[in-house]
Amino acid sequence: QKEVEQNSGPLSVPEGAIASLNCTYSDRVSQSFFWYRQYSGKSPELIMSIYSNGDKEDGRFTAQLNKASQYVSLLIRDSQPSDSATYLCAVNGGSGAGSYQLTFGKGTKLSVIP
Amino acid sequence: NAGVTQTPKFQVLKTGQSMTLQCAQDMNHNSMYWYRQDPGMGLRLIYYSASEGTTDKGEVPNGYNVSRLNKREFSLRLESAAPSQTSVYFCASSETVTNEKLFFGSGTQLSVL
């Protein structure tokens, strides 16, 4: 059973600060990594994907992947109150049947304080 | 641009009652999914349909059945609802089963008393 672990939070940061969200995964041969954002009472939406080691930047968001440490993170620069949401880490690929199916972490709740 | 449409948005059932959750997508996606989301448990896959005419079990299929009616529609049926099925249910779709970008519907809040 693949596992994806996240701190549930809440993670509170002041407006304008960098928010750092972390995720670890159990299946060493996982290949694809994603961050979904879910506002309270809404459905998840994909905000970042990363497939190879290193950093990937998109606007204020940076995804970081370290496959050797089985670790993926999301940095949000210049955090805004509108970034307040739950962030879900998702992983797929790897070994076993249905390896292409996404396994989601339980999510980290981020609160950006004005 | 509707995307993924789920109905109903809210439902209250008594233990033992049955119901069907409906889902339709207008993006010409091949693959569709049903997830449930419980506090502290994250999103868990119930069933999925890689393509029209196929369905497969996910992580938590017990107590559910699905039907891929056509390429657009994928329904989830609870034959005899139990309180443990109280949850938020999300339908999602993707271009193919190996395309990881999921588009989610707005969700169904189901309470089983």
Side-chain angles (χ1 to χ4, degrees), chain B residues 35-56:
Chain B
Y35 286 88
R36 61 178 288 175
Q37 187 174 38
D38 303 291
M41 296 296 294
L43 279 164
R44 293 183 292 169
L45 183 64
I46 305 171
Y47 270 93
Y48 67 99
S49 171
S51 59
E52 186 179 356
T54 69
T55 60
D56 284 290

Side-chain angles (χ1 to χ4, degrees), chain B residues 95-112:
Chain B
E95 287 186 13
T96 67
V97 75
T98 56
N99 182 310
E100 306 96 347
K101 182 170 184 179
L102 298 182
F103 293 82
F104 285 86
S106 57
T108 298
Q109 174 71 61
L110 174 67
S111 296
V112 183

Side-chain angles (χ1 to χ4, degrees), chain A residues 10-15 19 21 36-42 45 60-61 76 78-87 108-114:
Chain A
L11 173 66
S12 294
V13 300
E15 184 175 353
L21 304 162
Y36 282 77
R37 178 177 62 199
Q38 185 174 25
Y39 291 113
S40 180
K42 303 295 185 183
E45 59 175 331
R60 295 186 296 111
F61 297 97
I76 306 174
D78 188 23
S79 295
Q80 300 297 309
S82 59
D83 295 324
S84 298
T86 296
Y87 291 80
T108 298
K109 186 172 183 178
L110 172 66
S111 180
V112 180
I113 311 300

Side-chain angles (χ1 to χ4, degrees), chain B residues 12-87:
Chain B
V12 178
L13 294 177
K14 295 181 180 178
T15 297
Q17 287 185 317
S18 62
M19 78 160 296
T20 300
L21 281 66
Q22 307 286 353
C23 176
Q25 51 89 11
D26 63 2
M27 296 174 283
N28 201 35
H29 285 172
N30 289 297
S31 303
M32 298 184 74
Y33 312 81
W34 278 104
Y35 286 88
R36 61 178 288 175
Q37 187 174 38
D38 303 291
M41 296 296 294
L43 279 164
R44 293 183 292 169
L45 183 64
I46 305 171
Y47 270 93
Y48 67 99
S49 171
S51 59
E52 186 179 356
T54 69
T55 60
D56 284 290
K57 295 177 180 179
E59 182 185 351
V60 288
N62 290 346
Y64 305 96
N65 285 301
V66 290
S67 296
R68 184 73 183 265
L69 305 170
N70 48 55
K71 191 172 184 179
R72 292 186 63 248
E73 298 173 287
F74 188 40
S75 63
L76 177 72
R77 182 162 178 84
L78 287 70
E79 290 290 353
S80 179
S84 61
Q85 294 177 305
T86 293
S87 188

Side-chain angles (χ1 to χ4, degrees), chain A residues 35-102:
Chain A
W35 287 98
Y36 282 77
R37 178 177 62 199
Q38 185 174 25
Y39 291 113
S40 180
K42 303 295 185 183
S43 56
E45 59 175 331
L46 180 67
I47 55 170
M48 288 290 287
S49 58
I50 187 166
Y51 302 94
S52 54
N53 279 329
D55 294 0
K56 179 181 177 182
E57 188 173 318
D58 184 0
R60 295 186 296 111
F61 297 97
T62 299
Q64 298 176 317
L65 175 61
N66 183 327
K67 289 187 178 181
S69 300
Q70 295 175 236
Y71 176 92
V72 59
S73 64
L74 179 70
L75 301 178
I76 306 174
R77 291 183 301 282
D78 188 23
S79 295
Q80 300 297 309
S82 59
D83 295 324
S84 298
T86 296
Y87 291 80
L88 307 174
C89 176
V91 175
N92 85 342
S95 55
S99 61
Y100 43 77
Q101 295 305 315
L102 284 178

